Each structure stands twice: as C-alpha cells, then as structure tokens.
Amino acid sequence: DGTGCVHTAPGHGAEDFWVGQQYGIETFCPVDEEGRFTSGAGPYRGMDVFDANSVITRDLERSGRLLAGRRIEHSYPHCWRCKSPLIFRATRQFFLSLEHMDLRKRVLEMVEEIGWHPAWGHERMTNMMAVRPDWCLSRQRAWGVALPVLRCAECRAAVMDADVIDGVADLVEEKGSDVWFDLTPGEIFGLAGKKPSCPECGSSITTRVDDVLDVWFDSSLSHYNVLNGERFGLDRPCSVYLEATDQHRGWFGLSLITSVALGLSRPTDHIITHGLVQDLQGKKMSKSIGNVISPMDIVEQDGADILRMWFAAIDYTADFRADEAQLEDAREAYRKIRNTLRFMLGNLTAEHPAGDLIDGSRLTGLDRYIWLRFRELQGVCRREYRSFQFHRVSRELRNFVVTELSGLYLDVRKDRLYCDRPDDPDRQASVEVLGYLCAGLIRLLAPVIPFTAEEAWLALPGGESLAPSVHLSLLGDEPLREDETRELRAWDEVLRIRRSAMKRLEEARNEGLIGSGLEAEVDMTVPPRLSTSALGEDWADLLIVSVARPVVDGEPGAVSVSRAGSARCERCWKHLPDVGSHSLATDVCGRCASVLESIGYDAS
C-alpha cells in the first residue's frame, strides 16, 4: 500500500484475469475448491491459503527476498451470509451465450413489448442488456440444484446428452434434487439406457460435475412454471412483475432471457421497480443488522389497513426512510376515512340502497356538483391505478374525503338529512347521491384498505345486489362529457367565494362575535350570475349560516358577518324570523314545524 508496486494474478481476481487475457499472461490458479494450495504451489501444497500466509512470509525472509513486512488493516470482501473472507479463484464454468441465435437482440426486442414503471426502467434494462456478459450458470456451493453435466476424464470436455438429462429430471421429480449426488456416471447414463462416452475423444471415463445451477436460473423460470394455465389457471403474460431496483440485472432481465431462449412470449405486461426501505440513517433495513421495523408488529398493533395506508402514500419508486412516527399520519388518515364511511352508511336505509348509476339530470346545486366531482375522481383514480401510482391514488382519495366530501358536501347536507321530511324530494335526492358516492368510494378504497372496504361493503344497503364482495366489484367508469367538465369548473368560482366567507366566519368566531356559524348572518358581494343562488344551491345552506344576503354592488369578494338577530329554532338551530310563528310549537321555525306536523308530532 503506497509503494506503487502492484501484483497481477490472473487466476485470483476479475480485473487481473482480463489483463492476463489481453496480454497473454497465463491464468495460473494453484488453489482448489477447498481453499487449499494444489501441487502447483510446490512446498505449500495442501495448506489452507490463509494459514500459508505466515509460512510464505517466513520463507521469503529466510531466503533474503523479503524487503519489508508489516501488518495493515484494509477493507476485504466477505461472504454476506457467513461473514467469512472470500477467496477469488479462476475456474472452468458453464455459460449461456447471449450471442447464440441472436439471443441478445431478441431479448432487447422483448424489452420494447413491456411497460416499465417508472419509465427509466426501460432505459436501464436496455443499456444493461446491451452490454451484459454471457450468463454464468454454474456455481460451486454446497446447496442447490445440480447442473446435469459430466466431464471427460481424458480431454476435460463437457459431456451432455439430452436423453440422459431427461432421465435425470424424471428421477429428480421422483426422489428430489439430491439424487444426482448419489449416482455414479455409469448409473446416470444408464437412466437413458446408454454407456458413458465423450463426444470429443470417445473416452468412456467420465466424472460427475457437482456444480449447482445459479439460483437465478430457478427464479428466472418462475414464468414457465406458473404461467402455464394448468396448475394455477394463469396464462402468459401475467400483469405485473414487481421487485426492487437490483432486479434489472437479476430476476427481471434473466426472466426475459429464459423466455426468449425457450421461444415463449413475454412473461409480463408490466415491470414495476420499487426502492428499498431504509432506516433513518439511510441504511438498508436488514435482519442481520437489526434495524428492521417489523410489519407484523404494526399489524398486531394497528391492523393491516393502517400499514397499507402508510405505504400506499409513499412514492415507492424511490428509497424510503421509514420511521414508526410516520404511522401517526396514516392513523389519522384512516380515522377520517373510516368515520366518513360510517356517517354515510348511517344515513342509508333499505329504502334507499346504494346504486351504480344515478340520473344526474335530476340533481341540482351541491348534489350535482359532488356527483360530477366524484365521477372526475373515479377517472383520475382509474388512470393512476392503471399506471401503478398508488401514492397518487392515496393522495386524491384522502383529499376528496377530507376536503370535498366530509368538509363540504356532508357538512352542508347534515341539515337536509337531519331536519327535512324523510319523503322530501330534495332529501331523497341527497340520500340517493350518498348511496352512489358510498358504493363508489368503497370500491376506490378497496385496493388500499381491503379489509375496511369489505367491512363497509357488507354494511352497505343493497351492496350485495351489486356484488357479493367489493373485491368482485368493478370500479365505476363514467367519464365526464366536455359540457359536464365545463359545468364542474364553473364551481371553482363558487368554492373560492365560499372559502373567503368561511375564513371571515372563522375570524368572527375568534373575535367572539359569533359561536357557531348558524349564529351568523352574512352579506357578500358576488357576480351577477350568482346573485340568486350558488349554481342552484342556497347560499345560506352552502355557508352553513342562518341568513346569507348576496349582492352584486360593492367591492368584489367583500364579505361581512353580523350576529343573527332572530330567535333560534331548537330543532335545526338556525336563527330565523319565523321561529315561533307556528301554532304546533313555539320554539321551532316554519320548516321544522311543517316536518313535525307531517310525522304526527303532538306538542302536548
């Protein structure tokens, strides 16, 4: 280290090997598979290479050939499984040639047939496959599936016979893969009714090769074993291959190679690449390191759907630093979604079951807005699901549930649901919309929180008539027409005015002018086209106040809040001039008195 002197050992390092090939240096490797020196090492024959270090150093010193010697510490590769130091040695191996029968070219053509998510996976696979070396199929390990090859003892040529290999395969199917290591070469050839013979030199003396197949060979054939339509009922291609970023060189690429080599179609329509889960320091989570967050601990504590919500909200295409503190956000999102579903289900009855379709032409005001908005949401979610952008689906659903459904539509419609006559046409229209929204929302949520979605589906009035399980139900697909899209965008101005008014109401609440919004009267400047209503919705209902007075004259966007001067209806809590004007009850407004009268209320 630091001397400028470098040794080159073509038999003991990849770079050294290629240098030796380039300059015609012999690939000398006097180390056997046990890590001991062979006869090529002279007096050190039979010694473990690590044990021999001190002996060789001593001999160099005795012979006067050692200029200097000292111990240093440096980084050295170790086995990832047993942590032992590795020995690099050049050995004869078996390869699958990517140039044979234009295999590489045909694999690159198959790359073009597949959808890559994220898109950079396509370029990475193309570049990697274009320069990929031949695939080394053999491994020297104590475990694995045997490579069914023998070697000529005379000329060292590989001896392979299709009939013999078929015979071995039949025996392995019967007795297991270890049977190869129990057979002699004569017994192996005998499986095909033949005698050992080298195709190169004709020698009858062969030795069994005890190399095992690269484990990637097994996994790369998963498509062949699974997508055959027989055992599992699955046909080629499957929808998705999903694995981490390191699998372009591994499972992804090798599956394409074996598919092409076997003359099969592509194994999958889409390949999704995800990042790695890391700890807060950016280290890959590993059981051996002990920095793993156990998914089962989270499932036992919070349930599987909380865990799914956490990861559904993550852009999985990048590495992710996981911290259990992030679970709180998932818990909060789940709580809001679950409570919203419970509220919707609580307002549905057998008389108003959920439905797949609704006649939007009969809807007015906020009912029509939320019907249009939900159909737009369905289209967005379907598109993002198709492109496997689950974090975008999660964001869209959460924002819709919290902001537009719970924070707007359901909040505004509570008065109608609780206080109008059950048979009131407007109320019935809102309940019909609720059933439509509830069924559709459960479907959209099902891939993210499947257990909660199924629970809600089974509680949905009429849900069983749509499908026995939400997971047997199809997502809705009612794309908006151009005129409906324009109509939906017209609501943007209404909702801007509402946000401005709600902000002023909150300020009045903080000032102590009002308590709840129903204690307020609002004066507001609106465009002329919105002077009579908010696109069919009463302004007071939309703002959840007792009185709203829209005017067209004045500063654009101006909003003023005053405390309502009328008495409060004890049923709907609105402050209205007609409270007490009905003989049925002196503490309710005219609307509530009419409802009470219709259901036979007796004030006495």
Side-chain angles (χ1 to χ4, degrees):
D1 182 32
T3 64
C5 298
V6 180
H7 77 271
T8 298
H12 296 282
E15 294 83 0
D16 292 7
F17 174 83
W18 290 114
V19 169
Q21 292 293 299
Q22 182 177 354
Y23 293 102
I25 303 173
E26 178 189 0
T27 303
F28 178 60
C29 181
V31 180
D32 65 18
E33 61 270 14
E34 299 294 332
R36 298 182 180 277
F37 281 117
T38 65
S39 58
Y44 309 109
R45 177 180 181 179
M47 296 184 66
D48 179 277
V49 293
F50 293 113
D51 295 339
N53 283 338
S54 59
V55 179
I56 294 172
T57 303
R58 183 197 64 198
D59 290 348
L60 286 171
E61 187 174 17
R62 286 177 177 176
S63 65
R65 291 180 173 84
L66 184 64
L67 300 180
R70 65 184 177 89
R71 298 180 65 86
I72 64 170
E73 289 187 6
H74 68 111
S75 177
Y76 187 83
H78 285 62
C79 173
W80 67 270
R81 184 180 290 271
C82 69
K83 313 305 181 187
S84 299
L86 298 177
I87 300 170
F88 292 88
R89 49 190 291 270
T91 59
R92 294 172 64 90
Q93 302 291 341
F94 295 87
F95 293 85
L96 185 151
S97 170
L98 294 183
E99 306 309 324
H100 182 62
M101 298 179 67
D102 286 332
L103 181 57
R104 187 192 308 276
K105 177 184 176 183
R106 291 188 290 145
V107 171
L108 287 170
E109 291 172 352
M110 182 174 283
V111 169
E112 302 300 321
E113 301 175 15
I114 296 171
W116 298 86
H117 311 272
W120 53 255
H122 171 269
E123 183 177 2
R124 185 179 187 191
M125 177 60 75
T126 300
N127 294 339
M128 193 174 289
M129 194 62 67
V131 298
R132 185 187 187 109
D134 291 340
W135 181 9
C136 181
L137 297 177
S138 52
R139 293 292 185 274
Q140 292 71 52
R141 286 184 174 142
W143 51 271
V145 177
L147 193 70
V149 180
L150 296 100
R151 193 183 297 282
C152 176
E154 299 293 334
C155 69
R156 304 299 292 166
V159 180
M160 292 180 285
D161 183 291
D163 295 333
V164 171
I165 292 175
D166 287 341
V168 172
D170 292 340
L171 194 61
V172 166
E173 186 173 7
E174 178 185 345
K175 296 186 177 182
S177 58
D178 283 349
V179 70
W180 169 266
F181 304 100
D182 299 328
L183 298 174
T184 66
E187 291 171 331
I188 292 173
F189 270 87
L191 297 173
K194 297 182 178 181
K195 293 182 179 181
S197 177
C198 173
E200 298 294 331
C201 69
S203 173
S204 61
I205 304 175
T206 58
T207 58
R208 190 184 64 214
V209 173
D210 284 349
D211 290 353
V212 296
L213 277 164
D214 176 15
V215 293
W216 288 112
F217 188 79
D218 296 345
S219 61
S220 75
L221 288 168
S222 56
H223 60 85
Y224 181 80
N225 294 302
V226 174
L227 304 176
N228 56 20
E230 297 177 3
R231 183 177 179 186
F232 302 106
L234 302 174
D235 295 315
R236 302 177 72 90
C238 70
S239 296
V240 170
Y241 266 37
L242 169 67
E243 252 293 357
T245 54
D246 56 352
Q247 296 305 312
H248 286 83
R249 184 176 299 278
W251 186 44
F252 295 157
L254 298 178
S255 295
L256 300 185
I257 289 174
T258 55
S259 290
V260 173
L262 291 170
L264 301 173
S265 61
R266 67 182 182 276
T268 181
D269 285 329
H270 302 274
I271 289 181
I272 303 176
T273 306
H274 65 78
L276 302 175
V277 181
Q278 303 172 334
D279 63 16
L280 290 179
Q281 285 68 48
K283 295 181 180 178
K284 178 183 175 181
M285 286 194 173
S286 169
K287 288 183 289 185
S288 60
I289 298 176
N291 61 346
V292 172
I293 296 175
S294 170
M296 291 310 301
D297 289 346
I298 297 174
V299 170
E300 291 176 7
Q301 174 182 311
D302 295 303
D305 280 355
I306 298 290
L307 180 66
R308 294 176 66 94
M309 282 216 70
W310 181 19
F311 279 89
I314 296 167
D315 181 0
Y316 62 84
T317 61
D319 291 345
F320 169 63
R321 296 190 179 188
D323 180 13
E324 286 194 69
Q326 299 160 345
L327 270 172
E328 189 54 42
D329 184 64
R331 294 189 188 103
E332 179 65 14
Y334 176 80
R335 183 185 64 81
K336 290 180 178 179
I337 289 173
R338 186 179 180 90
N339 286 344
T340 300
L341 289 174
R342 288 183 63 184
F343 176 85
M344 297 171 74
L345 290 169
N347 282 277
L348 299 176
T349 65
E351 290 76 27
H352 297 90
D356 279 335
L357 299 173
I358 193 170
D359 182 5
S361 64
R362 296 189 294 105
L363 302 179
T364 60
L366 201 59
D367 289 333
R368 182 162 176 85
Y369 163 77
I370 203 69
W371 174 68
L372 293 172
R373 176 67 186 94
F374 185 73
R375 286 169 55 200
E376 181 184 54
L377 175 75
Q378 281 183 320
V380 171
C381 289
R382 285 173 63 94
R383 183 177 67 250
E384 300 299 353
Y385 270 136
R386 285 195 180 107
S387 60
F388 310 103
Q389 298 296 323
F390 305 113
H391 65 289
R392 295 179 184 172
V393 175
S394 179
R395 181 187 62 212
E396 291 290 336
L397 289 174
R398 181 175 181 175
N399 289 343
F400 176 78
V401 168
V402 173
T403 304
E404 296 170 276
L405 192 55
S406 181
L408 173 62
Y409 180 72
L410 297 180
D411 204 23
V412 170
R413 281 294 173 259
K414 285 178 183 176
D415 177 74
R416 178 178 290 182
L417 293 171
Y418 292 165
C419 299
D420 280 359
R421 294 194 326 271
D423 60 349
D424 182 273
D426 288 340
R427 185 185 185 280
Q428 288 189 335
S430 294
V431 173
E432 186 178 357
V433 170
L434 271 186
Y436 170 80
L437 292 174
C438 194
L441 182 60
I442 294 171
R443 287 191 183 99
L444 292 178
L445 289 166
V448 179
I449 48 174
F451 300 102
T452 301
E454 184 70 354
E455 180 185 359
W457 187 264
L458 296 178
L460 184 67
E464 69 281 356
S465 66
L466 303 177
S469 165
V470 67
H471 305 298
L472 297 175
S473 180
L474 299 178
L475 295 181
D477 187 16
E478 302 172 80
L480 294 176
R481 303 189 306 268
E482 288 188 16
D483 60 312
E484 290 177 325
T485 299
R486 289 193 298 271
E487 181 183 357
L488 182 59
R489 296 286 76 83
W491 275 87
D492 292 345
E493 185 177 23
V494 173
L495 296 178
R496 277 197 302 272
I497 295 172
R498 183 180 190 271
R499 285 193 296 271
S500 178
M502 298 305 285
K503 179 181 179 182
R504 181 66 194 100
L505 285 166
E506 184 62 26
E507 293 170 349
R509 191 176 292 108
N510 294 334
E511 295 165 1
L513 179 62
I514 60 172
S516 74
L518 291 176
E519 293 179 0
E521 295 183 1
V522 174
D523 292 275
M524 51 199 292
T525 304
V526 299
R529 68 187 187 89
L530 299 177
S531 60
T532 56
S533 71
L535 298 181
E537 185 73 23
D538 183 86
W539 276 109
D541 289 342
L542 186 64
L543 302 180
I544 318 179
V545 296
S546 291
V547 177
R549 289 181 286 267
V551 296
V552 296
D553 297 325
E555 181 184 350
V559 178
S560 63
V561 176
S562 58
R563 188 174 181 84
S566 302
R568 186 182 83 165
C569 172
E570 293 303 314
R571 184 169 181 271
C572 69
W573 290 15
K574 290 182 178 181
H575 292 256
L576 298 170
D578 64 349
V579 172
S581 63
H582 199 287
S583 60
L584 180 68
T586 59
D587 57 354
V588 297
C589 64
R591 189 260 314 243
C592 289
S594 176
V595 173
L596 292 173
E597 186 176 34
S598 70
I599 62 176
Y601 173 76
D602 186 355
S604 61

